[in-house]
Amino acid sequence: MRNIKLIIEYDGKDFNGWQRQPNKLNIQGTIENAITKVTGEEVNLIASGRTDAGVHALGQVANFKTNSTIPIEKIPLAINSSLKKSILIKSAEEVDEKFNSRLSCKKKTYRYIINNSRYGTAIYRNLETHIAYKLDVEKMQQAIKYFEGEHDFKAFKASGTSSKNSVRTIYRAEVMKKEDERIWIELTGSGFLYNMVRIIAGTLVDVGMHKIEPEEVKKILDSKDRKNAGKTLQPQGLYLVKVEYE
Amino acid sequence: MRNIKLIIEYDGKDFNGWQRQPNKLNIQGTIENAITKVTGEEVNLIASGRTDAGVHALGQVANFKTNSTIPIEKIPLAINSSLKKSILIKSAEEVDEKFNSRLSCKKKTYRYIINNSRYGTAIYRNLETHIAYKLDVEKMQQAIKYFEGEHDFKAFKASGTSSKNSVRTIYRAEVMKKEDERIWIELTGSGFLYNMVRIIAGTLVDVGMHKIEPEEVKKILDSKDRKNAGKTLQPQGLYLVKVEYE
């Protein structure tokens, strides 16, 4: 069987998240149905990881197995023509049969976009999170550096979620000021716990509002206690930007 | 009577353009209704100019007269709370009774956003125009300079539209390469003819595709003939960014 790897962009606001579930519009099921139309086969689409309702992806990766002989270069357009416009297959590649989007993943990059203007935004209301309080970006830039390296991120995962091991490595962590009063938070890591990026973003907002000092991020990490970290920010500011493999 | 000037952002995809018209969702009527809820008065909202269906505004300006005594600093939030989230009042200011958003206008800035990636975009599908052909941005940057200064823009207005005088002055004209394969076209001018920015953008795309040379823009201007200019690009890439007064 052929193993096909897709790179996928989607607008999270139109869906109840990635995962297939009955009676709820979801991204996985929508793409699987489109693939079935193209190949005539039932397929199981394996993503690098689930994304929650409202979360966007610029570069989600997913793979499926097929006996179809459709040429690889025709696959994106073929699937796209059966899809809603809020999902886009950006590329397709034939990969080794052992490749698994979730298990083979080495690095992921997430972006969180904050609109820091006074009244927020009409145009980007589902694409950014509005925070009216003028944030101190320099302090946020100092604070985010404490996340770089290998840490136990237990304080930065949704409480009540199971995961044996909460140690992850962050390779790059950056806060950037963008045009029109936007702030981008970008993190590249070996993997992310449930809600981890949104809790990190919420904690950085506390730093930007001078509620806590940048150095306190280290103490919060060491405490391994979710209660010490900031709020979980809304999903609509979050983007899965890129997933990397060997 | 007080004369109130508003700065307004809106997502054009949800509306049949600015202008009030029966049985069609429009921006002017939607805001007028919200103002009526706040002031208890019927108002006539005068914009710097109409925008077409699908066209966005980051800084449309409009004014209305009122006897309401509501404090000026409360007006944005009061109107916003009666509005759909696709329209946002960003500021309100009390101005001289002679101020008229359309007639007093000195400069306008428009932006046109092209998504120049191979397969386009799911997330920004209503906010950018996709052109798959890889555009030569340097040639476009040379070409746009021919629009600067005072010219008769007859060749760059929708054919069949009346306007006695098609001479306008362009103060600034720029093509910029942005992240993630985006191209911004920005024009600041004394005023713009119907479809002028979208026709200029279409002509610049012809330059970027090497269909015409940058120097030909001058000839097209001199010809004063709409047939010689490029296509009118789609509305969803167009933004009214800013309107300036004395």
Side-chain angles (χ1 to χ4, degrees):
Chain A
M1 272 186 125
R2 296 164 80 197
N3 190 8
I4 311 290
K5 175 191 171 199
L6 304 175
I7 300 181
I8 308 164
E9 178 178 326
Y10 48 79
D11 185 344
K13 82 159 181 302
D14 294 350
F15 300 95
N16 294 288
W18 171 269
Q19 200 183 8
R20 188 175 42 205
Q21 47 188 324
N23 307 321
K24 283 194 165 179
L25 191 63
N26 59 82
I27 299 151
Q28 182 185 4
T30 303
I31 303 175
E32 285 175 348
N33 291 343
I35 296 172
T36 297
K37 276 192 199 156
V38 170
T39 63
E41 300 168 343
E42 296 269 317
V43 295
N44 178 29
L45 191 62
I46 300 163
S48 71
R50 301 167 189 171
T51 52
D52 284 337
V55 175
H56 313 291
L58 287 160
Q60 171 68 287
V61 171
N63 69 295
F64 66 98
K65 307 245 168 134
T66 180
N67 286 313
S68 162
T69 56
I70 177 170
I72 191 72
E73 67 278 9
K74 299 225 163 131
I75 288 182
L77 277 176
I79 303 177
N80 285 335
S81 64
S82 295
L83 273 177
K84 303 156 88 52
K85 286 189 171 161
S86 42
I87 304 178
L88 180 76
I89 310 299
K90 293 165 111 173
S91 79
E93 186 192 346
E94 203 157 337
V95 288
D96 187 89
E97 59 168 340
K98 293 201 192 87
F99 176 88
N100 176 298
S101 298
R102 188 167 67 84
L103 302 174
S104 314
C105 167
K106 293 294 176 218
K107 281 185 195 178
K108 279 187 185 178
T109 299
Y110 278 99
R111 180 182 300 156
Y112 198 92
I113 304 185
I114 294 170
N115 182 303
N116 201 205
S117 67
R118 186 163 172 204
Y119 287 109
T121 165
I123 296 174
Y124 301 95
R125 65 198 179 284
N126 298 307
L127 299 173
E128 302 175 345
T129 290
H130 176 230
I131 292 174
Y133 188 100
K134 203 83 212 139
L135 298 172
D136 185 334
V137 174
E138 262 180 55
K139 291 273 186 194
M140 293 168 74
Q141 286 168 332
Q142 291 165 28
I144 202 172
K145 289 300 162 192
Y146 291 98
F147 293 109
E148 287 187 346
E150 187 183 274
H151 303 282
D152 186 336
F153 284 94
K154 207 172 169 196
F156 294 89
K157 82 175 172 71
S159 55
T161 55
S162 68
S163 67
K164 323 101 235 173
N165 182 354
S166 47
V167 175
R168 297 290 184 277
T169 302
I170 298 294
Y171 302 108
R172 190 179 69 91
E174 258 189 285
V175 175
M176 290 165 272
K177 227 177 164 149
K178 295 282 172 176
E179 53 219 338
D180 298 333
E181 303 180 89
R182 283 194 183 90
I183 298 165
W184 284 18
I185 297 167
E186 276 197 4
L187 295 156
T188 300
S190 59
F192 292 86
L193 302 162
Y194 189 59
N195 280 355
M196 180 167 147
V197 180
R198 290 162 60 187
I199 300 170
I200 288 178
T203 307
L204 290 172
V205 164
D206 286 346
V207 172
M209 293 171 83
H210 300 129
K211 283 188 189 169
I212 61 169
E213 285 299 310
E215 305 81 64
E216 284 184 60
V217 165
K218 194 180 156 10
K219 286 186 206 152
I220 300 170
L221 276 165
D222 290 345
S223 78
K224 296 176 194 169
D225 187 348
R226 170 70 187 91
K227 287 197 296 293
N228 294 322
K231 273 194 299 199
T232 306
L233 292 195
Q234 298 163 298
Q236 72 262 33
L238 185 60
Y239 296 71
L240 174 55
V241 173
K242 198 164 62 171
V243 186
E244 292 171 87
Y245 298 88
E246 290 279 85
Chain B
M1 271 187 126
R2 297 163 80 196
N3 190 7
I4 311 291
K5 174 192 172 198
L6 304 175
I7 299 181
I8 308 165
E9 177 178 328
Y10 48 80
D11 184 344
K13 82 159 180 302
D14 294 350
F15 300 95
N16 294 287
W18 171 269
Q19 200 182 8
R20 188 175 41 206
Q21 47 186 322
N23 306 322
K24 282 193 167 180
L25 192 62
N26 59 83
I27 299 152
Q28 181 185 5
T30 303
I31 303 176
E32 286 176 347
N33 291 344
I35 296 173
T36 297
K37 277 193 197 156
V38 170
T39 62
E41 300 167 345
E42 296 270 319
V43 296
N44 179 29
L45 191 61
I46 300 163
S48 71
R50 300 167 190 173
T51 52
D52 283 337
V55 175
H56 312 292
L58 287 161
Q60 171 70 287
V61 171
N63 69 295
F64 66 98
K65 307 246 169 135
T66 180
N67 287 314
S68 161
T69 56
I70 178 170
I72 191 74
E73 67 277 9
K74 299 226 163 130
I75 288 180
L77 276 177
I79 302 177
N80 284 335
S81 63
S82 294
L83 273 176
K84 304 157 86 54
K85 286 188 172 162
S86 43
I87 304 178
L88 180 76
I89 310 298
K90 292 165 113 174
S91 78
E93 187 192 345
E94 205 157 334
V95 287
D96 188 89
E97 59 169 340
K98 294 201 194 85
F99 176 88
N100 177 298
S101 298
R102 189 168 67 84
L103 302 174
S104 314
C105 167
K106 294 293 175 219
K107 280 186 197 177
K108 279 185 184 180
T109 298
Y110 278 98
R111 178 183 301 154
Y112 198 92
I113 303 183
I114 293 170
N115 182 304
N116 201 206
S117 66
R118 186 163 172 205
Y119 288 110
T121 165
I123 296 175
Y124 302 95
R125 66 198 178 282
N126 297 307
L127 299 173
E128 302 175 346
T129 289
H130 176 230
I131 291 174
Y133 188 99
K134 203 84 212 141
L135 298 172
D136 185 334
V137 175
E138 261 180 55
K139 290 272 185 195
M140 294 168 74
Q141 285 167 333
Q142 292 164 27
I144 201 170
K145 291 300 163 192
Y146 292 97
F147 292 110
E148 286 187 346
E150 189 182 274
H151 303 282
D152 185 336
F153 283 93
K154 208 171 168 196
F156 293 88
K157 81 174 172 72
S159 55
T161 55
S162 67
S163 66
K164 323 101 234 173
N165 180 355
S166 47
V167 175
R168 297 289 184 277
T169 302
I170 298 294
Y171 302 108
R172 190 179 70 92
E174 259 189 284
V175 174
M176 291 166 271
K177 228 179 161 148
K178 296 281 173 177
E179 52 219 338
D180 298 333
E181 302 180 90
R182 283 194 182 89
I183 297 166
W184 284 18
I185 297 167
E186 276 196 3
L187 294 156
T188 299
S190 60
F192 291 87
L193 302 163
Y194 191 58
N195 280 355
M196 178 168 149
V197 180
R198 290 161 60 188
I199 300 169
I200 288 178
T203 307
L204 291 172
V205 164
D206 286 346
V207 173
M209 292 171 85
H210 299 130
K211 284 188 189 170
I212 61 170
E213 285 300 310
E215 307 78 64
E216 285 184 59
V217 166
K218 193 182 158 6
K219 286 186 209 155
I220 300 170
L221 275 166
D222 291 345
S223 78
K224 296 177 194 169
D225 186 348
R226 170 70 187 89
K227 287 198 295 293
N228 294 322
K231 273 194 300 197
T232 306
L233 292 195
Q234 297 163 297
Q236 72 263 33
L238 185 60
Y239 296 71
L240 173 55
V241 173
K242 199 163 61 171
V243 187
E244 292 171 87
Y245 298 86
E246 290 276 86

